[in-house]
Amino acid sequence: MACGMQYAEARTDCPVCEDERQYVPRAGQQWTDLETLRAGDFTGRIEEEGERVIGIGSQPSFAIGQRALLVRAGSGNILWDCVDYLDDDLVSAIEDLGGITGIAISHPHYYTTMIEWSRAFEVPIHLHENDRQWVGRPDPAVEFWSGRTSRLAEDLTLINLGVHFAGGTVLHWSAGEQGRGALLTGDIVQVIPDRTHVGFMYSYPNLIPERPSVVRAAARLLEPYRFDAIYGAWWDAVIPANGHEIVQRSARRYLRHVAD
């Protein structure tokens, strides 16, 4: 399937793919399951993406192709975003890195096999309640939070920007980058090829821009938080420095080009 969402039972449609922020391929929707992936040519991929930030994905990539991030915070490891593939070797490798204390996900395109990950590590999943309707496999491990912020630990704060999805969330790690701070964004704040700016979109594949009022509000929400690095959704999608300035400058540029 195009988004990699795992559902509680077999179905013929995928609401996430049929939504205008994703798409159904021209050849039609295709379905598989985790056991089939494990029996095929897929393997886990783990690589350093930054200081105490470990990228986690699969080879080859699957569905949207994002990678998750293991944030090795002093308060405990957090898995930021999620990927479809998981096997015993990947679990063992992550355990060797200290395991995880919880999972937090930016938006529904990356929910994927989050319940499998939660059960493998016996940890909760933190999702914003505004995206409750998109959960394909309900489970008691899913903990919905509300409002604009939720503190996971003293150095880890979830911030609901509402970009891309109503529950679109980023993770601020105040102690990251040796205390200079890091912002983990998925594609709520998109790291683009020009690393001097970031992007804001309602739909990436269908090229629908985000509403100016939402981008304006997101910039205001992020203004008080200090961060040097920005970690996006893809391998090597990292802005290593001046992250706070880049976000604010990018929002101003966006608003100059897109009128309410």
Side-chain angles (χ1 to χ4, degrees):
M1 46 198 308
C3 72
M5 177 75 82
Q6 186 182 57
Y7 287 97
E9 56 188 28
R11 56 188 301 161
T12 59
D13 67 321
C14 173
V16 174
C17 290
E18 293 179 355
D19 177 73
E20 62 185 356
R21 284 160 289 196
Q22 185 55 10
Y23 64 95
V24 175
R26 290 182 62 189
Q29 190 64 272
Q30 298 181 20
W31 298 88
T32 188
D33 56 37
L34 186 55
E35 288 308 314
T36 300
L37 296 182
R38 288 169 173 162
D41 296 328
F42 287 88
T43 59
R45 176 181 175 186
I46 296 182
E47 295 180 14
E48 224 176 77
E49 285 281 79
E51 186 171 352
R52 300 188 65 79
V53 179
I54 308 297
I56 299 172
S58 69
Q59 298 178 123
S61 64
F62 182 77
I64 292 176
Q66 79 279 3
R67 55 97 176 89
L69 292 169
L70 182 70
V71 180
R72 305 186 71 189
S75 54
N77 292 351
I78 289 289
L79 184 70
W80 171 247
D81 279 333
C82 199
V83 292
D84 316 83
Y85 190 73
L86 181 66
D87 62 17
D88 290 342
D89 290 341
L90 201 48
V91 171
S92 179
I94 294 169
E95 291 285 12
D96 288 344
L97 292 167
I100 58 177
T101 62
I103 301 167
I105 303 178
S106 60
H107 71 290
H109 289 158
Y110 302 157
Y111 287 177
T112 64
T113 58
M114 61 183 180
I115 304 303
E116 303 285 348
W117 283 82
S118 170
R119 292 183 177 180
F121 294 96
E122 299 182 345
V123 296
I125 304 165
H126 304 278
L127 305 181
H128 197 277
E129 68 172 4
N130 285 350
D131 288 340
R132 182 190 296 263
Q133 72 184 89
W134 301 105
V135 174
R137 183 182 171 187
D139 191 273
V142 178
E143 297 183 0
F144 293 101
W145 59 280
S146 61
R148 285 298 194 180
T149 63
S150 176
R151 179 166 285 192
L152 298 180
E154 185 177 350
D155 55 347
L156 294 166
T157 301
L158 296 171
I159 309 167
N160 168 229
L161 299 184
V163 175
H164 194 31
F165 276 78
T169 294
V170 297
L171 175 65
H172 181 250
W173 181 22
S174 61
E177 308 300 308
Q178 298 185 12
R180 299 186 302 278
L183 192 71
L184 290 80
T185 65
D187 55 10
I188 305 306
V189 175
Q190 179 78 295
V191 174
I192 59 178
D194 174 6
R195 298 295 200 262
T196 66
H197 288 79
V198 292
F200 311 91
M201 292 288 280
Y202 177 77
S203 173
Y204 289 97
N206 298 312
L207 301 179
I208 305 173
E210 186 51 90
R211 293 149 292 178
S213 59
V214 173
V215 174
R216 191 176 294 114
R220 284 199 301 265
L221 284 165
L222 287 175
E223 202 285 328
Y225 294 89
R226 292 296 172 261
F227 51 90
D228 208 24
I230 303 174
Y231 292 88
W234 318 104
W235 292 102
D236 302 319
V238 179
I239 295 174
N242 302 317
H244 182 275
E245 176 189 347
I246 285 170
V247 168
Q248 297 299 319
R249 182 171 69 230
S250 298
R252 291 193 297 270
R253 182 177 77 168
Y254 183 92
L255 294 169
R256 285 197 302 270
H257 287 277
V258 182
D260 277 308

